[in-house]
Structure formats: C-alpha cells, structure tokens
C-alpha cells in the first residue's frame, strides 16, 4: 500500500529537557508557551499592540461564567476571521452524528466486529467510519464512536469540529496532529484529546493507520473523582502532556473543513491557519501514555466494578452518571481469593462500546481480536463466554498476571444506535451471539452442592 507522508515543519518553541521534550506536563494547568521570545504579553491579556505585529484572540471552551472557565489566549499572525470565508456544504458520507436512527438497522443486540479493513487514499476526514451514535449533537449531549482509517496526510487542508472534542485511540500506525497550539504525535498505547473548535491538520508518520475515536458532544473530559482512593494511582496529572507553541507562516491556497451541527462545510483561504506564535491558558490539546495508567483493584476477594479503571470521564448533569466514561483494561495482577475473576455476567444501564488495542481480553479469549470492536447496548445481558467461564471457575487460584492485553471501553448513559455502515458494511461477526449458546445448565438442588 502506498502511504503518502507529508511531515510538517512548524516553527516550534524551544524544547523542554528530558522526557517532556516538545511538551509541557500536567493536567488542566494554566500553561504558557511562545515560539518567539517576547511574543507572549506579560501581566495582561490584550495589550494595545502585541509584539511582532501579532493579533490577540481568545478561544473559549466553556461559557464565560461557568465555574472554572476554560479559555486560552492566542497571539497569532492573523485573526481567525481571516481563516474563515464563505462556506459551502460538502458531503462526508461515513461520518455521522446523533440523532442517527436508521429504520433499516437493528441496534438491539450484542454485536462484535472484526477490524475494519484499510483501503488506500484516505485522510483523517474521508477515512472516518462512524459505528454508533448516541444522544443529540444539537443539544450537546451524547457521543459518537468511530473507527479512523488513514493512509494519506492532509496537505494544505485543515479541520475543526464545532460539535465536539475528540478522544483518539490509535491501534495501528503513527499520526501527527499539527494544531493551532502545537504538535502532538501519537502511536498505539497513547491517546490524544483534540478540543472543540481547535483547527488542526493530521499527517501520517507511519502508516497505514487505524484506531478509534470517541466524539464527545457534551461537557469535556475530566479526571474522575477518586473518592476513598485518594490522590494517587489511576491516571496521574503529571503524565498528561500539552504541546509547546508552534506556528506556520505560509502563503498557500488552503481548505478549512468544519463540522457544525452534524453537517460538514468547507471554506477556501490563502494561507495556513496554524499561525499561533504564543499562547497561554488551560484549553488545549493533550496526549497521555496509557502505559502510565496505574490500575487499582481488589486484593482479597470479589471483583470491583469496571468504573475502577476509568481514565477520563465526561460528566452529565446528573452526579455520578457520566455522559461518557473512557475505561482502560490493561496488564495487571489478579490475586482475589475464592473469586470468579473475569468480569461477571451483567446487564447495565450504561451502553458499552469496547475496542481491542492489542492482545487478548480475559473475558473473551476467542474472537475479540486487536482492532476489533464489540457493543453491548443498555440493559442487554453479556459476560464471559463458556471457555472463559470454565477456566475461571476451575482454576487453582493464585497470583495471576494478565499480560499482553490492552482494551478499552467507551461507556455512555445513552443507547448507542448503529449506523448503516456498522450494520451493513463493517465486518460484523454474525455468530458472536452464539458464544453463549453452549452455556450449560449446572443447577443442582442438593444442599451445600457447588
């Protein structure tokens, strides 16, 4: 397969030393960074004249009066209005938004798919394949789950979503996100968050590329409240990385595509919109290495709820009920005594979309392959297949390390509706429901019998 690679050469701020080279560490910090010395005003946000002839502009990710407002001040070569002109509507046929209830597709069921195959000539926009939608993009609640397939870099082409922030989970290949606020490179075992309203270009570092995207229409992702767990473990704030400032000063015909209320439009401009020379604030893209996630679990008996493995959560208006949870199942020790250790059988008010990054998932040793997806919609029963059940029920229990495994879950309080692509084109495993068909009746009414 021919893979087009067009790596950018943005002018970047001086690198930080050590492991944070090119990035600033921390969660929700008030960062400041400049690619040219003195480009960032000190002591005020909007001076009468900015250094280098730059324009001051604010990007707001929340309402001005929301507690803990999120905003970033940008100092750029041109104001954003120069990167926006008359828009024309375009068709992006495989990228869908909620509500998207297709009468010809049945969303009620337990579903699993093989990896979606990658074809040539796909960019970040044309290679997005929506699997499910939930909620309503117009009222800014719910989400969509996608598979991305990328072989070609975006050249003089840019994108931003007014609808959502994007949680990107690579499974194969390496991507570069050239954003207004800096450069983020990601590969499998890492994730990136691209905020709502941020302009960026996606380039292929090593392809072909495939992965998963959670499109969050609602309140942005946050770290979960840890409660009695306290300050440590799970996802630690120091492991999140925000890019340093980088900019392009290029006069070249360019296209900017915007996703707005589920529709796609494009505008033509005469320059690169990635022209922010300096910025400060707390609304920015970031990356996170999933290998730094420190699981917390049971060390005596019983199996905790999967919420114990939450990396990020997007809150809803109801305390304790997420718009979306991003949950990680990675390598860890199992030590519980007299306990059925895989996830138990259950029905859930939340809908669970799972993806396999690599390895084998303990509750489904067969069929759930790297790059594969499963969906267990709200209140539909699911759990281990017979092989996993028999093994877990009859093993001699001792300390056991789950190795070579990394899967995740996009969990939402809304039912997830399949798209036509998911129901009719994606490689659906039609026999998935049969993995429970040979579950045996083991009931014996004899008192004390196990």
């Amino acid at each position: 397969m021919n893979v087009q690679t067009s790596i950018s050469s943005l002018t970047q701020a001086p690198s930080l030393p050590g492991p944070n080279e090119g990035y600033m560490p921390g969660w929700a910090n008030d960062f400041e960074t400049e690619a040219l010395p003195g480009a960032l005003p000190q002591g005020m946000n909007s001076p009468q004249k900015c250094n280098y002839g730059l324009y001051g502009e604010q990007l707001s990710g929340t309402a001005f009066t929301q507690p803990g407002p999120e905003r970033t001040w940008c100092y750029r070569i041109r104001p954003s209005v120069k990167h926006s002109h008359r828009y024309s509507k375009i068709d992006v046929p495989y990228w869908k938004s909620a509500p998207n209830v297709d009468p010809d597709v049945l969303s009620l069921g337990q579903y699993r798919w093989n990896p979606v195959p990658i074809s040539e000539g796909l960019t970040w926009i044309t290679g997005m394949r929506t699997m499910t939608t939930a909620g309503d993009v117009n009222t800014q609640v719910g989400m969509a789950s996608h598979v991305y397939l990328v072989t070609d870099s975006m050249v003089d082409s840019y994108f931003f979503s007014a609808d959502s922030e994007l949680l990107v989970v690579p499974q194969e290949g390496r991507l570069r996100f050239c954003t207004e606020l800096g450069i983020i490179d990601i590969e499998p075992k890492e994730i990136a968050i691209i905020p709502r309203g941020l302009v960026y270009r996606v380039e292929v570092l090593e392809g072909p590329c495939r992965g998963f995207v959670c499109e969050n229409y609602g309140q942005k992702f946050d770290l979960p409240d840890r409660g009695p767990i306290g300050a440590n473990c799970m996802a630690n704030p120091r492991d999140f990385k925000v890019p340093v400032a980088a900019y392009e000063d290029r006069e070249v015909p360019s296209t900017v595509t915007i996703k707005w209320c589920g529709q796609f439009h494009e505008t033509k401009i005469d320059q690169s919109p990635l022209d922010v020379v300096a910025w400060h604030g707390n609304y920015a893209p970031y990356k996170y290495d999933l290998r730094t996630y420190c699981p917390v679990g049971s060390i005596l008996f019983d199996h905790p709820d999967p919420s114990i493995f939450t990396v990020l959560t997007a809150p809803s208006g109801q305390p304790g009920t997420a718009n979306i949870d991003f949950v990680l199942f990675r390598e860890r020790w199992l030590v519980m005594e007299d306990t059925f250790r895989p996830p138990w059988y259950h029905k859930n008010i939340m809908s669970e979309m799972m993806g396999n990054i690599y390895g084998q998932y303990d509750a489904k040793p067969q069929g759930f392959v790297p790059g594969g997806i499963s969906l267990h919609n709200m209140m539909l029963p699911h759990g281990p297949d017979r092989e996993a059940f028999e093994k877990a029920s009859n093993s001699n229990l001792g300390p056991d390390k789950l190795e070579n495994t990394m899967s995740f879950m996009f969990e939402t309080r809304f039912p997830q509706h399949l798209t036509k692509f998911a129901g009719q084109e994606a490689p659906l495993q039609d026999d998935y429901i049969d993995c429970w068909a040979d579950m045996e009746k083991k009931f014996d009414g004899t008192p004390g019998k196990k």
Side-chain angles (χ1 to χ4, degrees), residues 56 58 87 152 182 213 215 226 237 257 261 280 282 289-290 299 305 309 342 346 361 377 389 399 432 439:
Q58 183 174 246
Y87 287 92
D152 291 7
V213 172
E215 185 176 4
R226 304 188 194 195
T257 302
C261 293
H280 76 87
N282 60 357
D289 190 332
L290 296 173
I299 56 174
D305 294 327
F309 301 131
H346 66 293
Y361 181 57
N377 241 322
F389 176 83
Y432 173 53
M439 298 296 297

Side-chain angles (χ1 to χ4, degrees), residues 330-356:
R330 62 156 304 181
E331 294 88 351
R332 60 196 183 276
W333 282 94
L334 302 178
V335 298
M336 302 87 82
E337 299 174 357
D338 190 26
T339 295
F340 184 80
R341 290 177 174 177
W344 12 251
Y345 298 98
H346 66 293
K347 292 190 289 186
N348 192 353
I349 190 65
M350 307 286 277
S351 298
E352 304 173 3
M353 167 70 78
M354 287 193 63
N356 188 347

